[in-house]
Amino acid sequence: MADSVRHYYPIIAGDILNLSYEIENTGEEPLIIREIQPSCGCIIPKLTSRMILPGKSKRLLFKYESAKNIGFVEHVIRIHCNVKPTGIIKLVFDTNVVTHADYTRDYEELYKETVERNAMIRGLVDGDETEKGYYVDSPSHDSREQNPYPWREEE
């Protein structure tokens, strides 16, 4: 791979960096991607298929969420596949994650904003998390009022 080591310009904390790598199968057999291991949970692969036919190329897309990093970061993405000699393709990138000039937010604030944004979207799609997702026949019926041992005779 020609550009497997990349150096990106600085980005503001909380921004998303979209990564695109072109992989070409120069072998005579299909290239099969078995596993993708990013060095951080902040890197999300967007994989559509795991096979590249001989002579063909495929674009691998990744999304890097910078909210959890501040300062210089270097990440490695390991792609386990049937390539010679090691069976691993390494993609390395680095960038400098800088804080916004107006206000310096720390990791906890950035993470809280992300969680709240995701919860709001999830609530709109899946419903409110406070809803239990089920209903009962009679709200006055409480299982604690039942006899715990119905086979015993009460005296």
Side-chain angles (χ1 to χ4, degrees), residues 16-92:
I16 292 175
L17 181 63
N18 291 308
L19 310 169
S20 174
Y21 291 91
E22 185 81 21
I23 293 183
E24 182 180 358
N25 183 355
T26 58
E28 296 178 6
E29 295 187 19
L31 178 75
I32 299 173
I33 299 172
R34 291 189 301 272
E35 184 178 6
I36 296 177
Q37 291 181 331
S39 61
C40 176
C42 56
I43 302 167
I44 302 163
K46 301 177 187 176
L47 191 63
T48 56
S49 75
R50 296 184 174 268
M51 183 170 61
I52 305 170
L53 297 174
K56 302 290 182 181
S57 61
K58 179 175 179 65
R59 187 166 300 278
L60 297 180
L61 303 173
F62 300 93
K63 182 170 79 167
Y64 168 63
E65 297 179 349
S66 65
K68 295 183 180 181
N69 301 118
I70 299 288
F72 179 78
V73 293
E74 181 179 60
H75 292 292
V76 178
I77 302 169
R78 289 177 182 82
I79 301 173
H80 296 269
C81 55
N82 57 336
V83 295
K84 294 178 182 178
T86 61
I88 298 174
I89 298 172
K90 279 176 136 180
L91 307 175
V92 180

Side-chain angles (χ1 to χ4, degrees), residues 3-18:
D3 58 350
S4 62
V5 178
R6 297 179 180 181
H7 310 285
Y8 286 96
Y9 292 104
I11 60 174
I12 296 175
D15 284 353
I16 292 175
L17 181 63
N18 291 308

Side-chain angles (χ1 to χ4, degrees), residues 2 13 15 25 29 35 42 44 49 78 81 89 96 98 104 117-120 122 124 128 132 141 150:
D15 284 353
N25 183 355
E29 295 187 19
E35 184 178 6
C42 56
I44 302 163
S49 75
R78 289 177 182 82
C81 55
I89 298 172
N96 195 3
V98 296
T104 305
R117 183 174 49 245
N118 289 342
M120 181 185 73
R122 189 178 323 114
L124 293 172
D128 189 7
K132 298 176 184 174
H141 180 70

